Amino acid sequence: MKSYITCRVCHSLLIALLFSGCGKSTEEKSQPEKSAYQEQRNEVQTIVLNTTSFKKELVSNGKLKARRKSELKFKVGGELKKLSVKNGSSVAAGQVIAMLDQFEFNQRLKNTQTDLKKAQIEMEDIILAHGGSKARKDSASSLMIQEVASIRSGYGTALQHVEMAKFNLEGSVLKAPIHGKIADLKRNIYEHITPNEVFCMVIDDTEFEVEFHLIESEVREIKLNDAVTVVLF
């Protein structure tokens, strides 16, 4: 009976010592962590306030606008035969962008040139018939004969037709008036083009203007040559 009680006491003492050892180890481990946490500092910087002037900033939304741009239009209509560019293409001033079918325009120019030669021959015959070759070319009578001969022969009208045919032939070719990039091109090859219809645009992308709005109270606070910072978004 006594030996049993002694064993129970020994076992109880052993368990108590184990718990005591574990608790001490845990407490010893937590001490460095607590010390490390206490060493951290929250530093605060301070400045001395002084009376001074500062720049006021005005913020406004706006857009970039090209300073130079051109809407290109064909002066005549016809089938689009050649297209050398696309949207975003870079072009130089004078570069050919598109061309209509020129067969009819070339034929019309040749026909008008032939009519002009016929009218010129007829005009010279009329002048000879009225003795214009014997009169001085700068005399009043000679000038009158030449004017009448031009009207009767149709020389003046034929000359106008030749000029118009040349104008139409040149108008069937679209060239870039400035250097820049192509934009708003919506036509494809072999489509029919209407005269004076906007074919595309050429935008000079080397120089832009910034366009933005201000309220009335802000207008009084700005002046010419103020600095403007542009931020793209």
Side-chain angles (χ1 to χ4, degrees):
M1 184 70 177
K2 289 182 181 180
S3 61
Y4 175 75
I5 295 172
T6 303
C7 292
R8 290 284 301 271
V9 172
C10 292
H11 283 294
S12 300
L13 290 173
L14 181 59
I15 293 172
L17 289 172
L18 289 174
F19 275 102
S20 175
C22 292
K24 185 177 181 180
S25 177
T26 306
E27 185 177 355
E28 289 176 353
K29 290 183 179 179
S30 62
Q31 287 298 329
E33 296 179 358
K34 186 175 182 181
S35 300
Y37 176 78
Q38 292 176 349
E39 289 178 356
Q40 294 181 357
R41 298 178 180 179
N42 294 326
E43 297 182 356
V44 178
Q45 295 180 351
T46 61
I47 60 173
V48 179
L49 295 179
N50 295 319
T51 302
T52 183
S53 54
F54 61 93
K55 295 181 180 180
K56 185 176 181 180
E57 186 180 71
L58 301 177
V59 180
S60 176
N61 292 331
K63 60 182 179 180
L64 293 177
K65 185 177 181 181
R67 297 192 65 180
R68 293 202 310 164
K69 61 181 180 180
S70 178
E71 290 184 342
L72 303 187
K73 305 175 182 178
F74 278 102
K75 299 175 182 178
V76 293
E79 181 182 313
L80 185 60
K81 196 72 174 180
K82 180 180 179 181
L83 182 61
S84 306
V85 297
K86 60 183 179 180
N87 283 319
S89 298
S90 298
V91 294
Q95 179 178 335
V96 175
I97 293 176
M99 183 184 300
L100 301 180
D101 187 357
Q102 294 187 318
F103 176 77
E104 293 184 2
F105 300 107
N106 283 320
Q107 289 299 113
R108 196 174 304 167
L109 178 60
K110 291 179 181 178
N111 293 337
T112 55
Q113 289 173 339
T114 300
D115 294 340
L116 179 62
K117 291 178 181 179
K118 292 179 180 179
Q120 185 175 2
I121 293 173
E122 186 174 351
M123 182 182 67
E124 292 174 354
D125 290 343
I126 295 174
I127 292 174
L128 289 173
H130 289 78
S133 60
K134 297 179 181 180
R136 291 178 55 185
K137 293 184 179 181
D138 57 348
S139 63
S141 60
S142 176
L143 293 175
M144 180 64 70
I145 292 173
Q146 290 179 11
E147 183 178 359
V148 172
S150 175
I151 295 173
R152 288 185 177 179
S153 64
Y155 178 82
T157 303
L159 184 61
Q160 292 177 356
H161 289 168
V162 171
E163 294 299 324
M164 182 59 67
K166 289 180 179 179
F167 176 82
N168 291 336
L169 181 60
E170 292 176 358
S172 65
V173 180
L174 203 60
K175 297 181 180 180
I178 59 175
H179 67 274
K181 289 188 176 181
I182 300 295
D184 295 337
L185 176 60
K186 301 177 182 178
R187 290 292 191 170
N188 294 317
I189 197 169
Y190 303 127
E191 289 186 356
H192 182 79
I193 304 301
T194 305
N196 297 320
E197 173 189 358
V198 178
F199 184 79
C200 66
M201 292 183 63
V202 178
I203 300 176
D204 184 359
D205 59 345
T206 60
E207 193 172 359
F208 288 89
E209 292 179 345
V210 181
E211 187 178 273
F212 57 93
H213 300 280
L214 298 174
I215 60 178
E216 293 182 2
S217 60
E218 294 174 336
V219 174
R220 295 175 295 180
E221 300 177 3
I222 63 173
K223 61 182 182 297
L224 190 63
N225 297 324
D226 276 352
V228 177
T229 302
V230 180
V231 180
L232 302 179
F233 64 92

